[in-house]
Amino acid sequence: MKLFKHKHDASQDSLLHGVALITDYAPMSRVSEEYKTLRTNILYAKADDPIHTLLITSAGPSEGKSTVSGNIAATFAKQGLRTILLDTDMRRPTVHATFGIQNNFGLVDLLTGEEDNEKLQRACRQTEIENLTILPCGPIPPNPSELLASKRMTRLLKGLTNAFDLVILDAPPVISVTDAQVLGSRADATVLVVPYGIAQKSMVMEAKSLLDQVNANIIGVVMNRVPASERQNRYGYYYDAYYNNDGKKHSK
Ligand SMILES: Nc1ncnc2c1ncn2[C@@H]1O[C@H](COP(=O)(O)OP(=O)(O)OP(=O)(O)O)[C@@H](O)[C@H]1O
Ligand SMILES: [Mg+2]
């Protein structure tokens, strides 16, 4: 029996191939411009108290968390901020696939076994994007919630915030497992991804309430998958060619 009725099933596509980094391959596109606006909004969300750890999550699966976290990480890095993107989705990891590396060593290895600097150096991988490092998930563990809630995770995050200007956490969905709540209680700020026409209001409200319970600092919502017809009035002048937010270029 299904507890929730999803209009939108979990996508296998990003699990296999990663997500589209439009901000990297089409930096002048309308979508990339919107990511720059998002970056500015995040930077000014807590003007007196800069954000060092940013959690990206959503109510349910396949709503665009990895796409938003990868692209916002690339956008911050391109601005010159030393940025690290952590794959904290230990159930459906994709960061390695997005950046074309193996997922055989990563965050999970740093949270288990010996704790040493050599492992940290090995797990954190510089990408082709200047200033952008990634920490892939590593082999899927049997106990993600426990690992993410561990003191070692707290220590690791602290160490990474000293080494980088910004730590971005690509998280699992809020509803159904506690991982995102655990991370939300530790991150300086949380952004909820809400896909237009797909997200159900009750689910988004439930996700917000679960994050509120752990005092997560929700600084805003990213609404993605907004159809071109809904945006045309605002962004009409960009429309000699447009990107449909799926990374593919479409002509008019
Ligand atoms: N704005 C968008 N427009 C169209 N397709 C999108 C958009 N954002 C993401 N997608 C597609 O939706 C699928 C799921 O995206 P993504 O992997 O970013 O979601 P997710 O929330 O991280 O999923 P999961 O719950 O598995 O971690 C992918 O195939 C991706 O290419
Ligand atoms: Mg994901």
Side-chain angles (χ1 to χ4, degrees), residues 46-187:
K46 286 176 83 184
D48 295 335
D49 194 5
I51 292 167
H52 296 295
T53 44
L54 175 68
L55 177 75
I56 310 288
T57 188
S58 73
S62 288
E63 294 191 320
K65 299 174 285 297
S66 298
T67 305
V68 171
S69 48
N71 280 288
I72 197 66
T75 307
F76 274 111
K78 281 166 187 268
Q79 188 194 21
L81 261 70
R82 288 165 304 148
T83 306
I84 184 162
L85 173 64
L86 263 62
D87 202 339
T88 60
D89 190 341
M90 295 183 174
R91 299 162 201 269
R92 291 171 58 83
T94 54
V95 170
H96 61 284
T98 299
F99 290 89
I101 63 164
Q102 296 286 319
N103 191 32
N104 51 9
F105 196 77
L107 177 59
V108 171
D109 302 275
L110 299 183
L111 300 176
T112 51
E114 289 292 303
E115 208 169 353
D116 70 54
N117 221 22
E118 187 272 326
K119 273 169 78 177
L120 182 63
Q121 303 293 336
R122 189 176 149 211
C124 295
R125 307 278 295 268
Q126 176 59 47
T127 68
E128 285 174 12
I129 300 173
E130 200 178 347
N131 294 316
L132 181 58
T133 301
I134 55 168
L135 177 51
C137 168
I140 293 179
N143 54 345
S145 308
E146 202 180 299
L147 290 182
L148 293 170
S150 65
K151 289 198 176 116
R152 267 176 91 161
M153 182 67 186
T154 310
R155 279 201 296 280
L156 177 67
L157 279 180
K158 195 161 185 295
L160 292 175
T161 50
N162 289 334
F164 292 89
D165 298 318
L166 185 62
V167 180
I168 297 183
L169 311 176
D170 178 0
V174 181
I175 297 176
S176 77
V177 286
T178 58
D179 306 11
Q181 275 180 291
V182 167
L183 295 167
S185 68
R186 290 168 181 197

Side-chain angles (χ1 to χ4, degrees), residues 11 13-14 19 61-67 89 92 224-225 244-246:
S11 156
D13 201 47
S14 48
V19 299
S62 288
E63 294 191 320
K65 299 174 285 297
S66 298
T67 305
D89 190 341
R92 291 171 58 83
N224 59 357
R225 292 177 180 263
N244 204 18
N245 262 14
D246 57 0

